[in-house]
């Protein structure tokens, strides 16, 4: 018995010795071995970028046809309308920029009476258009009425052209002075500048009396005439609109394209000026394309009868540099203040007139009581007068303008200052 117990004890010790080098077992799982690195998964495809919407395109301008009134249509008709030769008087009316907001213009300040004297309101301008249209006038380009030729001796001369007009119609030139949008105009109820609208047409931009921005085709004489011709194409059968008479000392068409000798001219000022020059170029291009032309009113609105030749010469060069460089060459000169060079450009040809003619001007326009014209005999030039619808002639020259309109039916007496009326209002 004892021997059996001893044998059992020996076997137990032998088993314990055999297991001594192994760690004890636990219930914990074996540590997870890192997997062999695998190739990166294919990335998910990037979402497609949305297409950038195209820039809104300015509509292609509608075709605009400009015809030559000095050429008879083939067969004597165009679009079923008979044409006939015309050699009579070519009437000429000129306007300043029109008053959009009468409450600012006629507010009793220092500018009020001057605006009454020399300008018309939007409503008055619209009524004038209606009247001249109803009376059978049609627009012609001042550049088509006279042209340069040579006489029998080979000398350059101006000649009056025969116009071929729709039968029964009478030719009418329009010109607009000071289409520069001077600061005093902006403060007194006129629009601020011309712009191109989303439709590619000429619009005006400005501020109303409350200071809100207004973009319109109904507040400025230029887009107003454009619209009128769109609605009455027979008012301009040759595509003519008006000649814009430009100074340069406050820029042109509402853009500050001018230099200024009274301030230090810095690089920043010049950069701003060049930016304005670039901005106005599309306006000029569209005006030209649609029948508008340009003339000089001198750079500084100077008096050409002063006899100061140094001033006249310097001013003319500045106009070429700052205005002519934008609008192109023009043979048309409109006298500031209606003042004739050398005092009387009809009976004499003085130094100032000869100089201006030498610079390329051929048609010289003043202001008068009739649509008068005279071809100079001693050099290649024509002088002419034009009539001026405005507060002065509404009040005091009603009868003289009856062939165009009756001031009684035109004048805004309810908004203009009470400055009296002429005797011919009594009839």
């Amino acid at each position: 018995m004892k021997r059996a117990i001893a044998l059992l004890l020996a076997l137990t010790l032998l088993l314990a010795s055999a297991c001594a080098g192994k760690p004890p077992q636990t219930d914990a799982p074996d540590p997870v071995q890192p997997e062999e690195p695998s190739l990166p998964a294919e990335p998910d495809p990037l979402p497609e970028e949305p297409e950038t919407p195209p820039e809104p395109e300015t509509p292609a301008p509608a075709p605009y046809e400009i015809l030559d009134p000095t050429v008879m249509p083939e067969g004597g008709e165009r679009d079923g309308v008979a044409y006939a030769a015309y050699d009579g008087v070519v009437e000429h009316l000129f306007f300043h920029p029109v008053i959009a907001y009468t409450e600012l213009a006629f507010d009793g300040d220092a500018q009020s009476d001057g605006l009454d004297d020399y300008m018309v309101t939007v409503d008055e301008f619209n009524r004038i258009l209606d009247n001249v249209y109803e009376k059978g006038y049609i627009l012609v380009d001042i550049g088509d009425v006279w042209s340069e030729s040579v006489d029998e001796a080979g000398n350059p001369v101006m000649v009056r052209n025969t116009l071929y007009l729709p039968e029964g119609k009478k030719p009418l030139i329009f010109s607009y002075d000071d289409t520069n949008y001077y600061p005093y105009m902006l403060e007194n109820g006129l629009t601020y500048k011309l712009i191109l609208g989303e439709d590619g047409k000429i619009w005006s931009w400005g501020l109303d009396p409350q200071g809100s921005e207004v973009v319109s085709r109904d507040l400025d004489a230029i887009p107003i005439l454009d619209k009128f011709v769109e609605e009455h194409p027979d008012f301009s059968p040759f595509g003519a609109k008006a000649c814009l008479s430009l100074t340069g000392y406050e820029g042109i068409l509402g853009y500050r394209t001018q230099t200024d000798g009274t301030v230090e001219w810095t690089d920043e000022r010049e950069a701003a000026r060049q930016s304005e020059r670039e901005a106005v170029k599309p306006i000029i291009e569209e005006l030209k394309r649609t029948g508008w032309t340009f003339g000089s009113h001198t750079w500084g609105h100077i008096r050409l009868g002063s006899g100061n030749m140094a001033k006249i010469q310097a001013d003319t060069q500045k106009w070429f540099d700052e205005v002519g460089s934008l609008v192109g060459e023009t043979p048309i000169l409109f006298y500031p203040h209606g003042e004739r060079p050398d005092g009387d450009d009809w009976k004499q040809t003085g130094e100032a007139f000869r100089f201006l003619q030498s610079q390329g001007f051929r048609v010289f326009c003043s202001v008068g009581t009739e649509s008068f014209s005279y071809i100079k005999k001693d050099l290649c030039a024509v002088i002419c007068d034009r009539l001026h619808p405005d507060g002065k002639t509404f009040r005091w020259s009603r009868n003289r303008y009856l062939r165009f309109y009756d001031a009684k039916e035109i004048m805004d007496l309810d908004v203009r200052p009470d400055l009296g009326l002429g005797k011919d209002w009594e009839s």
Side-chain angles (χ1 to χ4, degrees), residues 239-254:
K241 298 289 180 52
C243 190
L244 303 180
S245 169
L246 298 173
T247 62
Y249 69 96
E250 290 289 354
I252 65 172
L253 306 176

PDB file of all heavy atoms in Angstrom, residues 239-254:
ATOM      1  N   GLY A 239     -32.202 107.117 -91.577  1.00  0.00           N
ATOM      2  CA  GLY A 239     -31.497 106.670 -90.377  1.00  0.00           C
ATOM      3  C   GLY A 239     -30.862 107.773 -89.566  1.00  0.00           C
ATOM      4  O   GLY A 239     -30.214 107.503 -88.551  1.00  0.00           O
ATOM      5  N   ALA A 240     -31.007 109.039 -89.975  1.00  0.00           N
ATOM      6  CA  ALA A 240     -30.367 110.149 -89.258  1.00  0.00           C
ATOM      7  C   ALA A 240     -31.044 110.381 -87.913  1.00  0.00           C
ATOM      8  O   ALA A 240     -32.256 110.207 -87.768  1.00  0.00           O
ATOM      9  CB  ALA A 240     -30.429 111.421 -90.096  1.00  0.00           C
ATOM     10  N   LYS A 241     -30.247 110.814 -86.931  1.00  0.00           N
ATOM     11  CA  LYS A 241     -30.788 111.231 -85.626  1.00  0.00           C
ATOM     12  C   LYS A 241     -30.445 112.716 -85.423  1.00  0.00           C
ATOM     13  O   LYS A 241     -31.143 113.583 -85.909  1.00  0.00           O
ATOM     14  CB  LYS A 241     -30.200 110.362 -84.513  1.00  0.00           C
ATOM     15  CG  LYS A 241     -30.550 108.871 -84.630  1.00  0.00           C
ATOM     16  CD  LYS A 241     -31.987 108.582 -84.323  1.00  0.00           C
ATOM     17  CE  LYS A 241     -32.310 107.090 -84.449  1.00  0.00           C
ATOM     18  NZ  LYS A 241     -31.436 106.186 -83.701  1.00  0.00           N
ATOM     19  N   ALA A 242     -29.359 113.003 -84.713  1.00  0.00           N
ATOM     20  CA  ALA A 242     -28.968 114.390 -84.467  1.00  0.00           C
ATOM     21  C   ALA A 242     -27.456 114.468 -84.381  1.00  0.00           C
ATOM     22  O   ALA A 242     -26.770 113.458 -84.245  1.00  0.00           O
ATOM     23  CB  ALA A 242     -29.608 114.912 -83.182  1.00  0.00           C
ATOM     24  N   CYS A 243     -26.938 115.695 -84.457  1.00  0.00           N
ATOM     25  CA  CYS A 243     -25.511 115.941 -84.285  1.00  0.00           C
ATOM     26  C   CYS A 243     -25.272 116.422 -82.854  1.00  0.00           C
ATOM     27  O   CYS A 243     -25.896 117.395 -82.413  1.00  0.00           O
ATOM     28  CB  CYS A 243     -25.015 116.975 -85.290  1.00  0.00           C
ATOM     29  SG  CYS A 243     -23.207 117.134 -85.330  1.00  0.00           S
ATOM     30  N   LEU A 244     -24.402 115.741 -82.125  1.00  0.00           N
ATOM     31  CA  LEU A 244     -24.116 116.065 -80.734  1.00  0.00           C
ATOM     32  C   LEU A 244     -22.940 117.019 -80.669  1.00  0.00           C
ATOM     33  O   LEU A 244     -21.830 116.694 -81.103  1.00  0.00           O
ATOM     34  CB  LEU A 244     -23.825 114.791 -79.946  1.00  0.00           C
ATOM     35  CG  LEU A 244     -24.935 113.735 -79.980  1.00  0.00           C
ATOM     36  CD1 LEU A 244     -24.541 112.507 -79.178  1.00  0.00           C
ATOM     37  CD2 LEU A 244     -26.250 114.306 -79.492  1.00  0.00           C
ATOM     38  N   SER A 245     -23.180 118.194 -80.119  1.00  0.00           N
ATOM     39  CA  SER A 245     -22.199 119.269 -80.039  1.00  0.00           C
ATOM     40  C   SER A 245     -21.477 119.177 -78.696  1.00  0.00           C
ATOM     41  O   SER A 245     -22.078 119.402 -77.648  1.00  0.00           O
ATOM     42  CB  SER A 245     -22.927 120.616 -80.184  1.00  0.00           C
ATOM     43  OG  SER A 245     -22.091 121.702 -79.878  1.00  0.00           O
ATOM     44  N   LEU A 246     -20.180 118.853 -78.732  1.00  0.00           N
ATOM     45  CA  LEU A 246     -19.440 118.506 -77.522  1.00  0.00           C
ATOM     46  C   LEU A 246     -18.348 119.509 -77.188  1.00  0.00           C
ATOM     47  O   LEU A 246     -17.533 119.868 -78.041  1.00  0.00           O
ATOM     48  CB  LEU A 246     -18.783 117.131 -77.691  1.00  0.00           C
ATOM     49  CG  LEU A 246     -19.709 115.930 -77.913  1.00  0.00           C
ATOM     50  CD1 LEU A 246     -18.870 114.705 -78.233  1.00  0.00           C
ATOM     51  CD2 LEU A 246     -20.593 115.696 -76.712  1.00  0.00           C
ATOM     52  N   THR A 247     -18.314 119.931 -75.946  1.00  0.00           N
ATOM     53  CA  THR A 247     -17.115 120.556 -75.398  1.00  0.00           C
ATOM     54  C   THR A 247     -16.255 119.425 -74.831  1.00  0.00           C
ATOM     55  O   THR A 247     -16.498 118.255 -75.080  1.00  0.00           O
ATOM     56  CB  THR A 247     -17.467 121.567 -74.302  1.00  0.00           C
ATOM     57  OG1 THR A 247     -18.110 120.894 -73.208  1.00  0.00           O
ATOM     58  CG2 THR A 247     -18.380 122.659 -74.832  1.00  0.00           C
ATOM     59  N   GLY A 248     -15.243 119.768 -74.018  1.00  0.00           N
ATOM     60  CA  GLY A 248     -14.412 118.715 -73.446  1.00  0.00           C
ATOM     61  C   GLY A 248     -13.981 118.956 -72.028  1.00  0.00           C
ATOM     62  O   GLY A 248     -13.431 118.066 -71.382  1.00  0.00           O
ATOM     63  N   TYR A 249     -14.220 120.161 -71.502  1.00  0.00           N
ATOM     64  CA  TYR A 249     -13.632 120.522 -70.211  1.00  0.00           C
ATOM     65  C   TYR A 249     -14.253 119.794 -69.028  1.00  0.00           C
ATOM     66  O   TYR A 249     -13.686 119.787 -67.937  1.00  0.00           O
ATOM     67  CB  TYR A 249     -13.690 122.036 -70.006  1.00  0.00           C
ATOM     68  CG  TYR A 249     -15.068 122.622 -69.795  1.00  0.00           C
ATOM     69  CD1 TYR A 249     -15.561 122.858 -68.524  1.00  0.00           C
ATOM     70  CD2 TYR A 249     -15.871 122.957 -70.881  1.00  0.00           C
ATOM     71  CE1 TYR A 249     -16.823 123.406 -68.336  1.00  0.00           C
ATOM     72  CE2 TYR A 249     -17.124 123.499 -70.707  1.00  0.00           C
ATOM     73  CZ  TYR A 249     -17.600 123.730 -69.429  1.00  0.00           C
ATOM     74  OH  TYR A 249     -18.855 124.263 -69.247  1.00  0.00           O
ATOM     75  N   GLU A 250     -15.421 119.179 -69.210  1.00  0.00           N
ATOM     76  CA  GLU A 250     -16.001 118.323 -68.179  1.00  0.00           C
ATOM     77  C   GLU A 250     -16.259 116.927 -68.743  1.00  0.00           C
ATOM     78  O   GLU A 250     -17.183 116.240 -68.338  1.00  0.00           O
ATOM     79  CB  GLU A 250     -17.303 118.926 -67.639  1.00  0.00           C
ATOM     80  CG  GLU A 250     -17.137 120.172 -66.793  1.00  0.00           C
ATOM     81  CD  GLU A 250     -16.521 119.886 -65.422  1.00  0.00           C
ATOM     82  OE1 GLU A 250     -16.340 118.694 -65.094  1.00  0.00           O
ATOM     83  OE2 GLU A 250     -16.212 120.845 -64.689  1.00  0.00           O
ATOM     84  N   GLY A 251     -15.428 116.508 -69.689  1.00  0.00           N
ATOM     85  CA  GLY A 251     -15.609 115.205 -70.302  1.00  0.00           C
ATOM     86  C   GLY A 251     -16.730 115.214 -71.317  1.00  0.00           C
ATOM     87  O   GLY A 251     -17.224 116.272 -71.717  1.00  0.00           O
ATOM     88  N   ILE A 252     -17.144 114.022 -71.747  1.00  0.00           N
ATOM     89  CA  ILE A 252     -18.202 113.910 -72.753  1.00  0.00           C
ATOM     90  C   ILE A 252     -19.188 112.825 -72.359  1.00  0.00           C
ATOM     91  O   ILE A 252     -18.826 111.809 -71.764  1.00  0.00           O
ATOM     92  CB  ILE A 252     -17.629 113.626 -74.158  1.00  0.00           C
ATOM     93  CG1 ILE A 252     -16.935 112.267 -74.220  1.00  0.00           C
ATOM     94  CG2 ILE A 252     -16.690 114.734 -74.593  1.00  0.00           C
ATOM     95  CD1 ILE A 252     -16.528 111.834 -75.611  1.00  0.00           C
ATOM     96  N   LEU A 253     -20.448 113.053 -72.667  1.00  0.00           N
ATOM     97  CA  LEU A 253     -21.520 112.067 -72.523  1.00  0.00           C
ATOM     98  C   LEU A 253     -21.645 111.545 -71.095  1.00  0.00           C
ATOM     99  O   LEU A 253     -22.172 110.460 -70.847  1.00  0.00           O
ATOM    100  CB  LEU A 253     -21.317 110.903 -73.501  1.00  0.00           C
ATOM    101  CG  LEU A 253     -21.150 111.292 -74.972  1.00  0.00           C
ATOM    102  CD1 LEU A 253     -20.856 110.053 -75.815  1.00  0.00           C
ATOM    103  CD2 LEU A 253     -22.365 112.033 -75.502  1.00  0.00           C
ATOM    104  N   GLY A 254     -21.147 112.329 -70.127  1.00  0.00           N
ATOM    105  CA  GLY A 254     -21.223 111.943 -68.724  1.00  0.00           C
ATOM    106  C   GLY A 254     -19.993 111.231 -68.205  1.00  0.00           C
ATOM    107  O   GLY A 254     -19.954 110.830 -67.044  1.00  0.00           O
TER     108      GLY A 254
END
